[in-house]
Amino acid sequence: MIIVNGSAAETIPVMDRGLMYGDGVFRTMRVEHGQVDSWQRQYQKLAADCAALDILCPAQSTLEHDIHEAVTSEPDCVLKIIVSRGEGGRGYGLPSSVHPSRVIVTAPLPEYPARYWEEGVRLHVCEIRMCHQPRLAGIKHLNRLENVLARAEWHDPEVHEGLLCDDTEAVVSGVSSNLFIVRSGGLLTPELGRCGVAGVARGRILRAARAQGMGIEVTRITPAMLLDDEAVMLCNAVQGVRRVARLEDTTWPANGWADRLDAWLNEVD
Amino acid sequence: MIIVNGSAAETIPVMDRGLMYGDGVFRTMRVEHGQVDSWQRQYQKLAADCAALDILCPAQSTLEHDIHEAVTSEPDCVLKIIVSRGEGGRGYGLPSSVHPSRVIVTAPLPEYPARYWEEGVRLHVCEIRMCHQPRLAGIKHLNRLENVLARAEWHDPEVHEGLLCDDTEAVVSGVSSNLFIVRSGGLLTPELGRCGVAGVARGRILRAARAQGMGIEVTRITPAMLLDDEAVMLCNAVQGVRRVARLEDTTWPANGWADRLDAWLNEVD
């Protein structure tokens, strides 16, 4: 189901700046039994991303009304919210008055093979390098061509996710996930001040690990570092935590870390 | 007027990847007496940009048919063509079969004050730095948040355009134009292998200058270099060539170069 500005619809105006320039942000969330997982955090992140681009974020209650409309007939789904700056302006310049557009899209929960969890997943090291744009870093905006090109790099269905690096050979994330590693009992994840998306699941895992008394480092991680680590894991709001089992010739055995983080993810807001 | 996939329409499907990810390209052109200025070059560039992103470009005759529909009632206008990859796919991944969407939008020719040409234009030096993404450099794709943020930096109506630099302090372009300078009788323009859009007007000016026997350098240009130059000019397909008269405290007198380049632009294809 699709809800556009509060009403069921399949289309948006051509002149929406979301299409014209990718001038907007989005979130992808898991809905079970009609409840959006970690909704408060998702809304906070949506509002923060809008603020970073000076887009007026719709009120939480407005979006909750839209979401209720969308999930009533589909209580278990993936829910995507897009907020664009709206229509108008001449060229890149903003109109003096602009009303943001909000779009809610539901899709069936993806069915991944159970072995992704049992056996872990395989990573492809993407050739594309993510560019450094501090003004956009961390934000889940609609300018996602880098991710599209990265995802187009492999066709092997055995490969589940791509590893994104920047041009300093620092690891950024997966194509549609954040990355964690365990080293000497501490949890490390890439610093995202220059590129990448700081997802809600990433924030929850960091808070949970801190609450568990685990050492945390948000730092520079290189692909070579991964090879020595105890565990490499991916997370996002739809799939939770997945264990990386293989990256090129390197394999990691299951050692409980991914299950632990996935449990933590479900314990914290 | 708006034509979507051959028919008059005001909207596109929400699920179009142009909205979801900025997964598409566009062109902006000048139409006079029902004729698109430099149409062959515009189509070649559209096709090249589509190819760079592995998007199937609509046939030239198909677009010509759409354009004819759009400009019949509006023979003098600005024409924008958007080609997106189309609908579908799960997340960033491409669907096995995808049909590109084509959108034609007309708008009135902009009316700029005559003094922009008589007196030259003022430039703002943008604070945002364009990121280096060689895979997208030169392409006029729909991921244009950097340009939106750059254009939002100034509100003074006396400032006509913003100067974009990258994080090595090299000049890239204007926010919606390419840049040329004249130095020792030669024509220089920034190299665009890492960021920026290589516009059709830029290509025409380079060909015209070469035909005139003028020395050409496509090279690294810094803002400091501009201050010493004989002439600084901006060009795009809608506005032609404009002379920069002022950048912060530096001013340039009219010396005929902008008029010369504008005339050349109209002489070559």
Side-chain angles (χ1 to χ4, degrees):
Chain A
M1 187 167 194
I2 304 177
I3 309 275
V4 179
N5 293 327
S7 304
E10 298 287 327
T11 63
I12 59 149
V14 164
M15 300 309 289
D16 193 283
R17 296 174 64 97
L19 173 66
M20 290 289 159
Y21 309 121
D23 193 3
V25 300
F26 70 109
R27 309 252 18 104
T28 308
M29 294 155 285
R30 192 178 179 91
V31 179
E32 287 180 282
H33 311 301
Q35 299 298 311
V36 179
D37 193 30
S38 206
W39 166 240
Q40 289 300 328
R41 298 281 180 189
Q42 291 284 0
Y43 181 77
Q44 284 166 16
K45 173 65 175 159
L46 183 76
D49 284 357
C50 282
L53 298 179
D54 203 20
I55 291 172
L56 192 65
C57 188
Q60 185 171 335
S61 58
T62 303
L63 290 173
E64 285 169 358
H65 187 268
D66 293 352
I67 292 169
H68 180 75
E69 285 290 297
V71 307
T72 299
S73 60
E74 209 172 347
D76 298 283
C77 65
V78 174
L79 185 85
K80 185 167 177 170
I81 299 179
I82 299 173
V83 176
S84 86
R85 197 182 304 273
E87 290 182 67
R90 190 169 76 188
Y92 299 121
L94 306 183
S96 52
S97 166
V98 65
H99 301 283
S101 308
R102 55 186 206 278
V103 176
I104 314 279
V105 179
T106 60
L109 283 169
E111 289 180 29
Y112 295 105
R115 62 189 162 80
Y116 278 169
W117 278 263
E118 291 158 9
E119 300 171 16
V121 299
R122 261 181 74 183
L123 278 191
H124 160 83
V125 181
C126 292
E127 285 179 23
I128 192 171
R129 293 292 174 261
M130 305 302 276
C131 79
H132 288 170
Q133 178 47 273
R135 286 288 302 279
L136 297 175
I139 301 171
K140 196 155 180 169
H141 52 69
L142 294 173
N143 279 200
R144 298 256 75 96
L145 269 173
E146 289 184 321
N147 300 69
V148 171
L149 293 177
R151 182 59 191 84
E153 285 189 24
W154 79 92
H155 301 284
D156 181 349
E158 295 299 309
V159 173
H160 180 63
E161 177 59 306
L163 182 72
L164 297 176
C165 298
D166 68 13
D167 62 9
T168 73
E169 297 305 312
V171 170
V172 177
S173 64
V175 174
S176 52
S177 55
N178 285 116
L179 180 136
F180 284 92
I181 61 178
V182 176
R183 158 168 291 199
S184 309
L187 193 65
L188 283 70
T189 193
E191 191 274 325
L192 299 176
R194 298 195 292 182
C195 46
V197 174
V200 164
R202 173 180 181 268
R204 291 170 74 188
I205 289 173
L206 285 174
R207 281 189 298 280
R210 199 172 288 125
Q212 296 280 342
M214 196 172 180
I216 289 169
E217 271 189 85
V218 178
T219 185
R220 177 181 167 83
I221 295 173
T222 62
M225 281 169 68
L226 301 188
L227 309 183
D228 298 328
D229 286 311
E230 292 165 44
V232 177
M233 292 158 290
L234 304 168
C235 70
N236 69 25
V238 175
Q239 296 173 45
V241 177
R242 287 150 294 156
R243 177 174 74 83
V244 176
R246 184 166 166 195
L247 171 69
E248 291 171 349
D249 294 333
T250 302
T251 57
W252 290 266
N255 57 12
W257 273 113
D259 293 339
R260 205 166 306 158
L261 260 67
D262 199 47
W264 290 352
L265 185 62
N266 292 316
E267 280 167 19
V268 296
D269 175 41
Chain B
M1 188 167 192
I2 305 177
I3 309 275
V4 178
N5 294 328
S7 303
E10 299 286 328
T11 63
I12 60 149
V14 164
M15 300 310 289
D16 194 283
R17 295 174 64 96
L19 173 66
M20 291 288 158
Y21 309 121
D23 193 3
V25 300
F26 70 109
R27 310 257 10 110
T28 307
M29 295 156 283
R30 191 177 180 91
V31 178
E32 287 181 282
H33 311 301
Q35 300 296 312
V36 179
D37 193 30
S38 205
W39 166 241
Q40 289 299 327
R41 297 282 181 188
Q42 292 285 0
Y43 181 76
Q44 283 167 16
K45 173 65 176 159
L46 184 76
D49 284 357
C50 282
L53 298 180
D54 203 20
I55 291 171
L56 191 66
C57 188
Q60 186 171 336
S61 58
T62 303
L63 289 172
E64 286 168 359
H65 186 269
D66 293 352
I67 292 169
H68 180 75
E69 286 289 298
V71 305
T72 299
S73 60
E74 208 172 351
D76 298 284
C77 65
V78 174
L79 186 87
K80 185 167 177 170
I81 299 180
I82 298 172
V83 175
S84 85
R85 196 182 305 272
E87 290 181 66
R90 191 168 76 186
Y92 299 122
L94 305 184
S96 52
S97 165
V98 63
H99 301 284
S101 307
R102 55 188 205 277
V103 176
I104 315 279
V105 179
T106 60
L109 283 169
E111 289 180 28
Y112 295 105
R115 63 190 160 79
Y116 278 170
W117 278 262
E118 291 159 9
E119 300 170 17
V121 299
R122 262 181 73 183
L123 278 190
H124 160 83
V125 182
C126 291
E127 286 179 23
I128 192 171
R129 293 291 173 261
M130 305 301 277
C131 78
H132 288 172
Q133 179 47 272
R135 286 288 302 279
L136 296 175
I139 301 172
K140 196 155 179 169
H141 52 69
L142 294 173
N143 279 200
R144 298 256 76 95
L145 268 174
E146 289 183 321
N147 301 67
V148 171
L149 293 177
R151 182 59 191 84
E153 285 189 25
W154 79 93
H155 301 284
D156 181 350
E158 295 300 309
V159 174
H160 182 61
E161 177 58 307
L163 183 71
L164 297 177
C165 298
D166 67 14
D167 62 10
T168 72
E169 297 305 312
V171 171
V172 177
S173 64
V175 174
S176 52
S177 56
N178 286 117
L179 180 136
F180 284 92
I181 61 179
V182 176
R183 156 168 293 196
S184 309
L187 193 65
L188 283 71
T189 194
E191 191 273 326
L192 300 175
R194 297 195 291 184
C195 46
V197 174
V200 164
R202 174 180 181 269
R204 292 169 74 189
I205 289 174
L206 286 173
R207 281 190 297 279
R210 200 173 285 126
Q212 296 280 342
M214 196 174 182
I216 289 170
E217 272 189 82
V218 178
T219 184
R220 177 182 168 84
I221 295 174
T222 63
M225 282 169 68
L226 301 187
L227 309 183
D228 298 328
D229 286 311
E230 293 165 45
V232 177
M233 292 159 292
L234 303 168
C235 71
N236 69 27
V238 174
Q239 297 173 46
V241 177
R242 286 150 295 156
R243 175 173 74 83
V244 175
R246 184 168 165 193
L247 171 69
E248 290 172 348
D249 294 333
T250 303
T251 58
W252 290 266
N255 58 9
W257 272 112
D259 293 340
R260 205 167 304 156
L261 260 68
D262 199 47
W264 290 352
L265 186 61
N266 292 313
E267 280 167 19
V268 297
D269 175 42

